[in-house]
Amino acid sequence: MSRPQSPVQPIVALDDVHLTLDSGAGPVNILRGIDLSVGGGERVGIVGPSGSGKSTMMMVMAGLERPSSGRVQVAGCDLGALNEDGLARFRRNHVGIVFQGFHLVPTMTALENVAIPLEFAGARDAFERARAGLEAVGLAHRVTHYPGQLSGGEQQRVAIARAFVAEPSLLLADEPTGNLDLETGAHIVELLFGQARRRGTTLVLITHDPALARRCDRTVTLMDGRIADDGLAGRVRAAGLPAAGE
Ligand SMILES: Nc1ncnc2c1ncn2[C@@H]1O[C@H](COP(=O)(O)OP(=O)(O)OP(=O)(O)O)[C@@H](O)[C@H]1O
Ligand SMILES: [Mg+2]
């Protein structure tokens, strides 16, 4: 299946995004002028050395971190124009997030964890849909287990079920296969891509895993708070068109 080459309507558009945070040792320039466009339905891998700003960029896309300057548009929303309530509504309606580490609520069962986004959205059938979401990731037999009673791979599957359950148009995942053995990691990758394909979800995946990066339509490389390679040149070449400068 061919993917959009130059999306007319990107689902994510970052325009000259800078983020500076204060630390004890003075200001740290974490994002230093990020321009990035992601088309609807695209699967984008984000790679780069530790500390290059990958997780921070994802937090900006999710509206969980406000940039110091620049423009962030996601799913037709200008995030800079939204207040905290507006940002919460934006996330509820458009974004699913799998955090680095699993971030499950330890005092809630797998079923309750997956139902959280639906309950926030006021869905009456939250638990039925959460149960179906857990079935879809092969965890029908673990609904009443607490995170502490689940393996790492199972906890990541619960986190994935929770991220997809409200049918977001954009799914952000930070190292979804980090801390998992190879076989479990490969299973998680299949789940992510399978769920995204079925629902037409746009995927932005941060990863150190070359196998996961290869599964994506393109790979964006961050270096020191900047985009060193947005992966578009290779994509243009793959389509048989001359890349810029060739
Ligand atoms: N709240 C903060 N205050 C100050 N500096 C921060 C803060 N959060 C992150 N940083 C710094 O910003 C830089 C980028 O961090 P970030 O977590 O985005 O990196 P990353 O690319 O996700 O790395 P990794 O691959 O290790 O997860 C790091 O140097 C980090 O120390
Ligand atoms: Mg990170």
Side-chain angles (χ1 to χ4, degrees):
M1 195 174 91
S2 72
R3 298 260 149 200
Q5 288 303 313
S6 55
V8 181
Q9 264 301 358
I11 185 164
V12 177
L14 305 184
D15 183 10
D16 199 21
V17 167
H18 289 253
L19 179 67
T20 303
L21 289 177
D22 284 320
S23 75
V28 191
N29 297 320
I30 300 177
L31 301 179
R32 308 200 298 168
I34 300 268
D35 293 309
L36 179 67
S37 176
V38 177
E42 233 187 335
R43 289 92 46 100
V44 176
I46 310 287
V47 301
S50 181
S52 56
K54 305 182 298 295
S55 296
T56 308
M57 185 176 80
M58 190 182 105
M59 298 298 264
V60 167
M61 283 183 192
L64 288 165
E65 188 81 71
R66 282 190 193 272
S68 313
S69 66
R71 194 150 186 228
V72 182
Q73 287 177 286
V74 179
C77 303
D78 182 348
L79 302 197
L82 300 177
N83 60 18
E84 293 309 312
D85 284 348
L87 286 174
R89 209 171 312 119
F90 151 77
R91 276 193 296 276
R92 202 163 62 213
N93 292 337
H94 299 291
V95 186
I97 308 172
V98 179
F99 290 97
Q100 198 164 14
F102 314 120
H103 279 235
L104 299 176
V105 181
T107 54
M108 289 185 171
T109 64
L111 185 69
E112 289 164 346
N113 266 283
V114 176
I116 293 170
L118 296 171
E119 292 203 290
F120 273 134
R124 282 162 181 263
D125 55 353
F127 285 92
E128 282 157 49
R129 284 167 65 189
R131 190 178 295 273
L134 282 168
E135 267 170 35
V137 298
L139 286 181
H141 59 309
R142 292 284 184 269
V143 288
T144 60
H145 284 230
Y146 289 89
Q149 302 170 321
L150 297 169
S151 73
E154 287 171 340
Q155 289 183 57
Q156 190 62 308
R157 276 144 75 187
V158 174
I160 288 171
R162 182 179 59 185
F164 273 108
V165 79
E167 314 232 325
S169 46
L170 174 66
L171 189 122
L172 305 169
D174 198 349
E175 295 285 2
T177 59
N179 309 320
L180 301 177
D181 64 74
L182 270 180
E183 194 182 326
T184 312
H187 183 59
I188 293 294
V189 171
E190 290 316 313
L191 268 176
L192 268 175
F193 281 80
Q195 299 260 317
R197 192 167 45 241
R198 237 167 284 133
R199 300 161 192 252
T201 318
T202 305
L203 284 181
V204 175
L205 308 174
I206 297 173
T207 186
H208 287 288
D209 175 357
L212 178 49
R214 270 197 304 276
R215 283 288 304 269
C216 294
D217 299 308
R218 70 173 156 130
T219 303
V220 172
T221 308
L222 249 68
M223 292 282 230
D224 206 13
R226 292 195 177 92
I227 291 186
D229 182 352
D230 70 5
L232 284 172
R235 208 166 59 152
V236 170
R237 264 194 299 277
L241 300 169
E246 284 186 359

